Amino acid sequence: MQAAWLLGALVVPQLLGFSHGARGAEREWEGGWGGAQEEEREREALMLKHLQEALGLPARRGDQNPEGNSEGRGAWATEENGQGEEGEEEPTSTPHVSPSPSPTPEDAITYILGRLAGLDAGLHQVHVRLHTLDTRVAELTRGLRQLREVAGDTRDAVQALQEAQSRAEREHGRLEGCLKGARLGHKCFLLSRDFEAQAAAQARCVARGGSLAQPADSRQMETLTRYLRAALAPYNWPVWLGVHDRRAEGLYLFENGQRVSFFAWHRAPSPEPGPRPSASPHPLSPNQPNGGVLENCVAQASDDGSWWDHDCDRRLYYVCEFPY
């Protein structure tokens, strides 16, 4: 808008000068040149109107009706002629309104250059703001990288603490098992009175630094039997051992993967002597194992130390084994 006003300021004085020259000629030719002067005024008014529309300038009060202006100018000229006839001795000064000059190619170029300069200034401001945003984004990216590094260090520290806690729990469990349980050679047995499935019991023993009990010979079996009988007397509770045949039916393995070579399966009592001895086993005390594929884990009775096969999902007491 400033460029438009500037262009008007450059063009209007030229048109005003052109109009002033035309009116000076009018005074010299007051004879038969009236029609040519009227046509010249109409052309000037039309040029001013087109220039104002092109520049977006508001129309002046005297330019809204060029025909009326022509009539008014004609009347004003007639009145001026009459005054000249009445008395030439009293010269009167008449105001002259100079029309705006027509725009030249130099003015158009100046206007375009001004607009281009404004656009260039706007682009420069946009570039400055983009540079500020790029700087901010770089700072945020650097801060995010530092936070990730700190988070990684924290994660490593937490993992190290968890490993240290696991080692401490295993050492504590081993010491507790050997101090509170039964020790034989390089093994310690500790009873847990929590009811767990066989797999969950094995997981808890491992978390404490051991495993479910794996009696490998008769000596270890006798030690474990005495310990369980003394701990659970006068009751008889089945207790999970680390023995199972989940891999293949009839193939019993310890939790460490070794094959079991010593067994202490429960056997039904022999029939009492009498005139008619019964050949069928006792229904409440059948020979073990008898569960087939439905019972794949081994538990030890706390009263006599015999082995029974059970469903692995049954929740029983369990006894852990720790290295000494």
Side-chain angles (χ1 to χ4, degrees):
M1 192 66 186
Q2 295 178 358
W5 284 107
L6 178 61
L7 181 58
L10 293 174
V11 172
V12 169
Q14 296 181 7
L15 292 179
L16 292 176
F18 180 78
S19 176
H20 180 70
R23 290 184 178 176
E26 182 183 355
R27 293 191 184 89
E28 297 177 359
W29 312 327
E30 292 180 354
W33 297 96
Q37 292 175 358
E38 291 296 332
E39 293 178 359
E40 185 67 24
R41 292 192 187 95
E42 292 179 359
R43 284 197 297 271
E44 291 177 4
L46 186 60
M47 290 175 62
L48 286 175
K49 181 178 180 181
H50 290 331
L51 180 61
Q52 291 174 355
E53 292 178 354
L55 297 179
L57 299 176
R60 293 185 301 176
R61 187 175 302 175
D63 296 337
Q64 294 179 357
N65 189 2
E67 295 180 357
N69 291 341
S70 300
E71 294 176 357
R73 290 175 182 175
W76 178 77
T78 306
E79 182 180 358
E80 182 181 3
N81 293 334
Q83 293 177 359
E85 292 176 356
E86 292 177 358
E88 296 179 355
E89 297 177 356
E90 298 179 358
T92 58
S93 61
T94 58
H96 299 284
V97 178
S98 301
S100 300
S102 60
T104 61
E106 290 78 4
D107 298 332
I109 293 175
T110 303
Y111 173 74
I112 293 173
L113 292 178
R115 295 299 300 271
L116 290 177
L119 292 176
D120 183 68
L123 289 175
H124 177 70
Q125 294 179 0
V126 171
H127 290 162
V128 171
R129 294 181 180 179
L130 287 176
H131 177 71
T132 304
L133 290 176
D134 290 340
T135 304
R136 184 59 177 168
V137 168
E139 293 176 355
L140 292 176
T141 303
R142 184 164 54 254
L144 180 60
R145 188 182 303 110
Q146 293 176 357
L147 288 177
R148 288 179 177 175
E149 293 176 357
V150 172
D153 296 339
T154 305
R155 191 183 303 110
D156 296 339
V158 170
Q159 185 176 0
L161 288 175
Q162 291 176 349
E163 293 176 356
Q165 182 180 5
S166 299
R167 289 194 300 268
E169 290 179 354
R170 289 194 297 268
E171 185 65 21
H172 178 267
R174 187 184 67 82
L175 294 175
E176 184 182 18
C178 292
L179 291 175
K180 295 182 179 181
R183 183 171 65 87
L184 176 64
H186 297 287
K187 283 187 177 182
C188 300
F189 300 106
L190 180 64
L191 173 66
S192 176
R193 297 175 185 267
D194 297 328
F195 290 98
E196 295 288 351
Q198 200 269 353
Q202 169 65 12
R204 295 191 65 175
C205 288
V206 171
R208 298 177 65 182
S211 175
L212 282 175
Q214 306 173 42
D217 51 34
S218 59
R219 186 181 175 199
Q220 294 180 11
M221 189 65 200
E222 292 174 0
T223 303
L224 184 58
T225 300
R226 288 194 303 269
Y227 170 65
L228 293 178
R229 184 186 300 117
L232 298 175
Y235 306 103
N236 180 23
W237 291 94
V239 181
W240 283 127
L241 299 178
V243 180
H244 62 86
D245 65 342
R246 287 190 294 257
R247 184 176 300 179
E249 180 63 25
L251 177 62
Y252 289 91
L253 304 174
F254 289 123
E255 288 294 337
N256 58 10
Q258 294 181 358
R259 188 169 182 175
V260 180
S261 58
F262 171 82
F263 297 95
W265 293 114
H266 172 77
R267 292 291 179 254
S270 301
E272 297 181 358
R276 293 182 179 179
S278 176
S280 62
H282 195 280
L284 299 179
S285 180
N287 293 329
Q288 297 296 317
N290 67 340
V293 296
L294 299 178
E295 297 178 348
N296 296 320
C297 294
V298 178
Q300 179 177 335
S302 63
D303 58 349
D304 60 355
S306 60
W307 290 8
W308 296 65
D309 62 343
H310 290 278
D311 183 5
C312 296
D313 292 331
R314 186 178 178 184
R315 297 169 65 87
L316 304 175
Y317 288 165
Y318 59 95
V319 58
C320 295
E321 171 185 302
F322 300 96
Y324 178 73

